[in-house]
Amino acid sequence: MVTGITDEIMLIEKAQGGDEQCRNALAEKYSAQLHSFIYRITLQSDLADDITQETILEMFKVLGKLDKKDRFWPWLRGIAVNKLKQNHRYAKTRKDAAANVGINYRQKNDYKAQHDGLKNLISNELQSLVHAAMMNLKPSYREVLSLRCYEEMPYSEIASVLDMSEFRTHVLFHRAKKALEKQLSKQGLKKSALLTAIIIFGHSTADSVSAATNMTITAATLKTAPLPALAATATTKSTLFTMSMVGVLAVGTATYHTNKSTSPAISDTAPTFQLAQSNPIEQVENMFYFYPEGTNGPVMIQNNKGDNTQCQWQNYKDKNLKYDYENSIIYYNNYRMCQPDLSVFRLPSDSYDLHKFLNQVEDKYDSMELKHNDNSNILIIGQRAANEYDFTSTIQQRHHMLDEKIVRFNRPHNATIVDLRDDLHKQGWTAMTVSGYLSGEKITGQATIPFTYADYQKIDPVIQIAVGENYKILGNHQTSFLVDKSTETKSKLKSYAAFKYMPRPWQGLHTLDVVRRDLATDFIDFNTSKINKDNSVIVTAETKINKSEWRIHYYINMEKDWLNQIVFEKNSNLGWKKEGQLNFNYTNEHIEKFYNDSFIHYKQANYKESESQIIISLADSMNIAY
């Protein structure tokens, strides 16, 4: 009988030395606990049996590599989690609906048979309701609930086990709780029964009466950082300036006006933003992605449903169109289409790292095949067959794609055109001005932004941002510079550095997706709110900069498809404090051609350390090319 941590360490050491009896004793000691842990996640007895056996076998293989013998169970549990990730049957349950699991909890194997007396403490009816609710959760939700509630792990350790940031762990646990509350409600239980339900599930799946008796789950266990402003500890090289293009956040509102009059960005009579309809899984779905400058450049997107004769929407060369076949109407909108569930819009040209990170952040399986081609006029066609989840894709080179039947033939017959665009979007471009401050430094800026690819071919997107008295960022679609007026030097930045985290509508995606994809490219976790009554969505991200925690809120106008405001906060001993703001204004007034100013003659130089920590952060975040 193994008693105490000292005896267990001795047992492990002997097992590492090859003692067969001690190896078997280790397996016997932890098999039941291991099976209980795996079953709580899979809710499949046969799968839990297999994963338990595979984990024990793997334990025998790598036992000699275990250094921290007092951390044997966390080490063994980590092996089990990796086995779950590698198992194709478990992977399938993560992709398919959890309701398809189809294994009743009463069918569990002999590990639980000896503890039937425990179940008698809880009514069978209540157990059935709780297990039914658990069975309908995603496996990833059951996994994080199990690690937090039954393994009593802090968020930092869960993040390590699941290979994600602590911020993402908070988000996943919060969503798991909400999903369980919803399922409990469907079973006729009140949402307030969440804690009770988790305790019942833990007791009825415990590996022993003793384990169930010693189980302690409190309301404090279920706490997460407040949403949507979740506490985060995600670290990244990106800094304040990167987080908002030039790094700053705003609390002001965006306004849109013409030379003649000024009006708010959203009025009572403004058209309401509408999401695309989600295609039923029973229908064939075709997605067309056209890259006129190669897969690293702008993209035009078209969505067809059914037999491919009806187009739902197009983010086209010169317009954003939505089709209403029932009423034979074509709508011209200000905005590019987003995903029906507000998830991040994926592209077949995405990098593997971006694709993987988005799947992790959104806890969403996406089967899109990734394709890359540097040639111009590239067409990628993605197709999902009826009753299938996976997309297959093909890549072609089509030099006259925009004139082909595929983008012209399927418009509603004798359709009525309803142009919902405002004056700015009709003219094809906008002048954007920026004003605000960051950590005491005054921020001002201006930019010219084309709305569509056709406008981009005529109007060069350019931007300049002034930071304090001496520093400016100048950029267009090809290059960017950081200018130091005090030393008359300029440092080259990466392409699009000045436009990062800012609207780039000519590239073919909605501002909501541009901002989130920029965050994901820098591996920064984020959370997206629902659409508010004023057609706005809030994207919240957090990061560490110089060992300080910063929180950034992007307020995006969905109907106008531009950035309304950004809020910038810093965490201190006194809590979160607003550190800066930017105000964005949009107008049809031409702005001065600022690339002809005196800065253009400044000598090229590597950026040197400045007394301004803000500017140091700026140079670092922009990844200056030396």
Side-chain angles (χ1 to χ4, degrees), residues 4 55 75 127-128 150 236 246 324 346 374 406 411 426 452 455 469 475 477 581 618 626:
T55 302
W75 174 78
Q127 285 185 63
S128 297
Y150 308 128
T236 172
V246 217
D324 180 350
R346 318 294 176 85
D374 292 332
I406 198 171
R411 298 187 176 186
K426 286 179 181 178
T452 68
D455 300 312
E469 297 294 328
H477 66 289
Q581 71 175 48
L618 168 61
Y626 294 102

Side-chain angles (χ1 to χ4, degrees), residues 273-277 287 301 303 312-316 320-323 331 333-340 342-343 345 508-513 516 558 561:
F273 173 81
Q274 293 185 344
L275 290 166
Q277 294 182 351
M287 294 291 296
I301 307 171
N303 174 270
Q312 285 191 288
W313 53 266
Q314 289 176 308
N315 295 342
Y316 193 52
N320 305 307
L321 304 95
K322 187 174 185 298
Y323 298 92
Y331 293 98
N333 292 316
N334 293 327
Y335 54 88
R336 276 133 288 273
M337 228 18 116
C338 294
Q339 293 285 32
L342 280 187
S343 60
F345 205 102
L509 294 177
H510 196 286
T511 300
L512 175 66
D513 288 311
R516 295 185 299 180
M558 298 298 289
D561 195 351

Side-chain angles (χ1 to χ4, degrees), residues 151 181 183 188 198 201 213 216 296 351 478 507 515 519:
E151 298 300 313
E181 286 178 344
Q183 293 300 327
I198 290 175
F201 183 73
T213 304
T216 303
N296 289 323
S351 69
Q478 294 178 326
Q507 289 190 323
V515 168
L519 289 167

